[in-house]
C-alpha cells in the first residue's frame, strides 16, 4: 500500500473505534513516551467523545515532564479496543501483556521491520523517530485533526532525544519541517531542554568515573561495564546508569561505543556507532534496533568479552575499507 493509503487506513480505523489503547516498548525512552503521549493528545483533542488510553507497565521518571500514562483498564475494554503500538519493532517488546486481547492491532514504527506484526503495519525507517511519524500523520490530516501544546511538546521531545538533539544522520528537510510545524503550537524549548539536560550531581560524577575508566579495543571500540556495585556507590538508579550510553560518543577513533549495565539476572547492552553500522552486534546477542543504535543482552563476562571482540572486528573491517572517519 502506498504511504498515503496506509495513513488513510489508520485514520479510518481510528474513526471506527470508540476506544483506543496506545502501547509502546519496554524500557521507555523519550521517543516511545513522546509518540504515545503525543498521539494520545491528538486523538483526545480531535475526538473528545472517544476513550483514548496510553498504557505501559514500566515508567521513566525523567520523562514525566511530558505527561503520564493512564492506569491499566479491564480486559473488557481491551476486547472492544483498537490497539496502536508505537515505536516497537517486535511484538514481544510491547510493554503491555494485554495488547493481543485487543480487537485490532496497528503497528507504527521506525525501526527495521523485522517483525511486521499487526492488522496494519506502518513502518517508516526513513524517519529518525516514531514521533516524526505521528507528527507527519497529523500534518497529513491537519484539516481533520487537532493537537494541543502538550501533544506538540511530547512529540518534539521524542524527536530531540531520538536524533541526539538533532545531530544524527536522519535529520532530513522533512524532519526539520515537522519540527517547524510543532513549534507553531508554542513549545517551550527551554523547558524541554532543561528537563533533558539538568542532572543530579551523582550522575555527573559517575560520568566522570566512566570517562576515567572506559576501555578501548585495538581497532576502536570504547566500552564500560557498570556493575551494581559502582551504580550503588554513586547513589544512582539503574536508569541513571543506562542514560550514560552517550558519554563515550565523541572519543576520536572509537567508532563503536558500548555500555554494559548489570541487571538482576542479565546484563543489558547498549551499543552506538558513527560512520559504521553496529546493529549486527545487537542481532548477534539477543537484540536488535537501528543501524547505528541497538540493544542486546548478555549473561556473563565471557560474553561481554566476545561481544566486544565482535564489535572490534566490525570496526577493523570498516577502517580497512573506508577513509575520512574520525
Ligand atoms: P537502547 O540502547 O535500549 O535504547 O536500544 C537502542 C535501540 O535498539 C532502540 O531503538 C531499541 O528499541 C532497540 N532495541 C534495543 N534492544 C532491542 C532488542 N532486544 N530487540 C530489538 N530492538 C532492540
Amino acid at each position: 500500500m502506498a504511504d498515503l493509503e496506509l495513513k488513510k487506513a489508520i485514520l479510518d480505523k481510528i474513526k471506527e473505534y470508540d476506544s483506543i489503547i496506545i502501547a509502546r516498548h519496554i524500557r521507555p525512552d523519550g521517543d516511545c513516551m513522546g509518540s504515545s503521549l503525543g498521539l494520545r493528545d491528538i486523538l483526545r483533542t480531535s475526538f473528545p467523545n472517544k476513550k483514548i488510553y496510553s498504557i505501559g507497565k514500566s515508567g521513566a521518571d525523567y520523562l514525566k515532564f511530558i505527561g503520564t500514562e493512564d492506569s491499566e483498564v479491564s480486559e473488557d475494554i481491551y476486547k472492544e479496543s483498537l490497539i496502536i503500538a508505537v515505536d516497537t519493532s517486535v511484538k514481544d517488546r510491547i510493554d503491555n501483556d494485554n495488547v493481543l486481547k485487543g480487537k485490532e492491532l496497528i503497528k507504527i514504527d521506525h525501526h527495521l521491520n523485522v517483525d511486521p506484526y499487526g492488522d496494519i503495519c506502518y513502518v517508516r525507517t526513513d524517519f529518525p523517530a516514531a514521533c516524526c511519524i505521528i507528527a507527519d500523520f497529523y500534518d497529513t490530516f491537519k484539516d481533520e485533526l487537532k493537537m494541543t501544546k502538550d501533544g506538540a511538546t511530547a512529540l518534539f521531545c521524542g524527536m530531540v532525544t531520538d536524533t541526539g538533539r538533532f545531530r544524527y544522520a536522519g535529520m532530513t528537510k522533512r524532519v526539520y519541517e515537522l519540527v517547524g510545524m510543532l513549534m507553531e503550537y508554542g513549545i517551550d524549548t527551554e523547558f524541554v531542554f532543561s528537563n533533558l539536560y539538568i542532572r543530579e550531581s551523582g550522575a555527573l560524577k559517575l560520568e566522570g568515573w566512566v570517562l576515567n575508566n572506559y576501555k578501548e579495543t585495538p581497532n576502536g571500540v570504547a566500552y564500560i561495564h557498570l556493575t551494581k556495585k559502582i551504580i550503588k556507590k554513586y547513589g544512582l538508579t539503574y536508569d541513571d546508569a543506562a542514560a550514560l550510553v552517550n558519554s563515550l560518543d565523541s572519543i576520536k577513533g572509537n567508532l563503536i561505543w558500548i555500555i554494559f549495565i548489570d541487571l538482576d539476572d542479565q546484563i543489558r547492552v547498549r551499543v552506538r556507532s558513527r560512520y559504521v553500522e553496529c546493529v549486527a552486534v545487537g542481532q548477534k546477542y539477543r537484540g536488535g534496533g537501528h543501524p547505528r543504535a541497538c540493544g542486546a543482552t548478555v549473561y556473563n563476562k565471557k560474553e561481554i568479552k566476545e561481544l566486544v571482540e565482535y564489535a572490534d572486528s566490525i570496526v577493523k573491517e570498516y577502517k580497512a575499507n573506508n577513509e575520512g572517519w574520525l
Side-chain angles (χ1 to χ4, degrees):
M1 237 194 267
D3 184 72
L4 184 59
E5 280 174 49
L6 265 171
K7 284 192 270 197
K8 277 186 182 151
I10 293 172
L11 185 60
D12 285 345
K13 283 290 163 206
I14 288 169
K15 285 178 181 166
E16 189 183 317
Y17 279 83
D18 291 330
S19 166
I20 300 170
I21 298 172
I22 305 163
R24 42 78 186 167
H25 64 73
I26 55 167
R27 294 178 186 149
D29 58 12
D31 191 33
C32 83
M33 290 300 279
S35 50
S36 180
L37 297 173
L39 180 60
R40 182 182 71 179
D41 178 84
I42 293 168
L43 300 187
R44 278 186 180 165
T45 317
S46 309
F47 305 104
N49 294 326
K50 293 185 190 292
K51 292 198 174 69
I52 316 286
Y53 308 92
S54 175
I55 297 177
K57 276 198 295 191
S58 56
D61 282 352
Y62 77 100
L63 291 168
K64 281 194 174 147
F65 73 96
I66 56 166
T68 47
E69 294 181 299
D70 301 292
S71 310
E72 187 56 285
V73 293
S74 71
E75 249 186 73
D76 287 346
I77 295 184
Y78 275 89
K79 281 183 195 155
E80 64 190 34
S81 293
L82 170 67
I83 314 291
I84 304 180
V86 291
D87 196 34
T88 312
S89 57
V90 288
K91 209 168 20 185
D92 291 353
R93 299 193 84 235
I94 300 176
D95 196 16
N96 183 325
D97 301 331
N98 293 320
V99 284
L100 298 181
K101 294 175 187 153
K103 207 162 182 184
E104 283 187 278
L105 174 63
I106 296 178
K107 171 184 180 177
I108 298 181
D109 187 34
H110 71 123
H111 298 89
L112 298 175
N113 197 7
V114 288
D115 178 10
Y117 64 84
D119 301 286
I120 298 178
C121 176
Y122 182 46
V123 173
R124 293 280 305 263
T125 52
D126 57 320
F127 275 140
C131 283
C132 299
I133 310 178
I134 304 299
D136 173 76
F137 177 82
Y138 175 78
D139 196 45
T140 305
F141 302 114
K142 221 172 173 181
D143 293 343
E144 309 186 50
L145 298 175
K146 294 190 186 112
M147 174 169 59
T148 71
K149 178 181 168 183
D150 288 347
T153 301
L155 295 176
F156 177 79
C157 170
M159 289 190 197
V160 166
T161 52
D162 247 33
T163 60
R165 294 18 173 185
F166 302 142
R167 276 191 307 144
Y168 300 157
M171 286 305 301
T172 57
K173 175 172 175 264
R174 178 65 183 147
V175 179
Y176 282 112
E177 281 168 2
L178 291 171
V179 174
M181 183 273 292
L182 294 177
M183 290 303 290
E184 287 170 14
Y185 290 81
I187 296 169
D188 180 347
T189 53
E190 186 179 15
F191 169 76
V192 174
F193 283 108
S194 300
N195 273 282
L196 293 174
Y197 275 98
I198 301 294
R199 294 159 67 192
E200 299 291 342
S201 65
L204 284 166
K205 285 180 180 154
L206 178 59
E207 181 161 30
W209 181 87
V210 168
L211 291 172
N212 276 301
N213 290 280
Y214 74 87
K215 296 193 174 75
E216 286 174 324
T217 64
N219 294 294
V221 176
Y223 65 99
I224 189 85
H225 182 182
L226 295 171
T227 60
K228 282 194 169 175
K229 197 172 154 200
I230 195 80
I231 297 169
K232 197 169 163 211
K233 183 175 166 195
Y234 286 89
L236 296 177
T237 63
Y238 151 81
D239 280 335
D240 298 327
L244 291 177
V245 60
N246 283 323
S247 305
L248 301 176
D249 72 353
S250 308
I251 308 167
K252 200 165 185 183
N254 287 297
L255 305 193
I256 296 184
W257 54 100
I258 308 172
I259 62 168
F260 298 91
I261 312 128
D262 277 353
L263 302 180
D264 284 338
D265 53 353
Q266 55 180 233
I267 302 169
R268 179 180 177 193
V269 190
R270 305 190 78 194
V271 190
R272 303 289 186 268
S273 62
R274 64 176 174 275
Y275 302 108
V276 60
E277 292 191 0
C278 63
V279 68
V281 178
Q283 285 162 344
K284 189 165 179 189
Y285 290 89
R286 310 170 190 92
H290 303 284
R292 295 176 190 189
C294 64
T297 302
V298 294
Y299 289 98
N300 50 51
K301 286 193 174 157
K302 185 169 166 277
E303 279 196 325
I304 290 183
K305 191 167 171 280
E306 286 167 7
L307 185 151
V308 169
E309 282 169 6
Y310 179 55
D312 187 63
S313 71
I314 292 176
V315 180
K316 184 178 181 186
E317 193 189 332
Y318 180 83
K319 287 186 175 176
N321 296 300
N322 294 277
E323 289 176 354
W325 42 266
L326 288 170

